[in-house]
Amino acid sequence: MTSPKKKLIAGNWKMNGSLAANEALVQALRAGVGQSGCDVAVCVPSPYLAQVQSLVAGSPIALGAQDVSAHAQGAYTGEQSAAMLKDFGVRYAIVGHSERRQYHGESDDAVAAKAGAALGAGITPIVCVGETLAEREAGHTAEVVRRQLAAVIHANGHCITEIVVAYEPVWAIGTGKTATPEEAQAVHAVLRAQLHHAAGDGAARIRILYGGSMNAANAASLLAQPDVDGGLIGGASLKAPDFLQIIAAAA
Ligand code: PGA
């Protein structure tokens, strides 16, 4: 199935940055991004949302968060609600990143609730799914990603066409090991079929990003796959020339 929509290249800065480093990075991105043919976002640590909101103002770069609370308000120390993120111009929120599933015990249902909270505030959730190395080696890749996505579909009904999905094989994140374009496409096709089952023709416009050691050298071949609609980029999004090359490969 081909996808006619614009690709999305989203940087996931993770827990990196400083006032000075963010300013230098965003200025370099603004200078190089031009009127690119793809959508571009940077998902930044929450203390820097206000800073990066003003740094990207008037540019084609959208602002993203790395997580969102499932709750609207109240006694949830350390969390940020979708409405708070919206106050700072946030367009996208990553939910269910494997680092949050692994280090913070986020369940499929918790991730689904977070996606719902984002959607309710008009923020596009970037829902991450992906298998561990052990799951891949046991032949469980399709089953794992389907289970993770099914929770989000089940909890969000007809809003499902408003999400972005990111396939991020856990073994490829930050390791320098990338899924081959064919391996990525095979899983993206599984996800597209599942979305099609849930949303009919609307599934064609849902963007499915690949993430996991995407870089300037491998981006073009991954992005050439019919069901790869963009990338979620960690390490390479912290280096402006690399991130700009990935954006150029998606345009
Ligand atoms: P990586 O991270 O590009 O550094 O592998 C991707 C991610 O975790 O989103």
Side-chain angles (χ1 to χ4, degrees), residues 168-215:
E168 296 209 310
V170 178
W171 48 270
I173 294 176
T175 58
K177 282 188 209 148
T178 320
T180 65
E182 295 72 25
E183 284 170 336
Q185 169 57 27
V187 180
H188 283 229
V190 165
L191 295 167
R192 181 84 64 203
Q194 186 178 8
L195 291 166
H196 193 262
H197 186 74
D201 292 344
R205 63 185 178 86
I206 301 174
R207 291 184 286 195
I208 307 177
L209 315 184
Y210 170 79
S213 298
M214 191 187 265
N215 58 38

Side-chain angles (χ1 to χ4, degrees), residues 12 14 97-99 168 172-176 211-214 232-236:
N12 173 12
K14 308 194 179 188
H97 191 279
S98 65
E99 287 150 17
E168 296 209 310
I173 294 176
T175 58
S213 298
M214 191 187 265
L232 181 57
I233 293 104

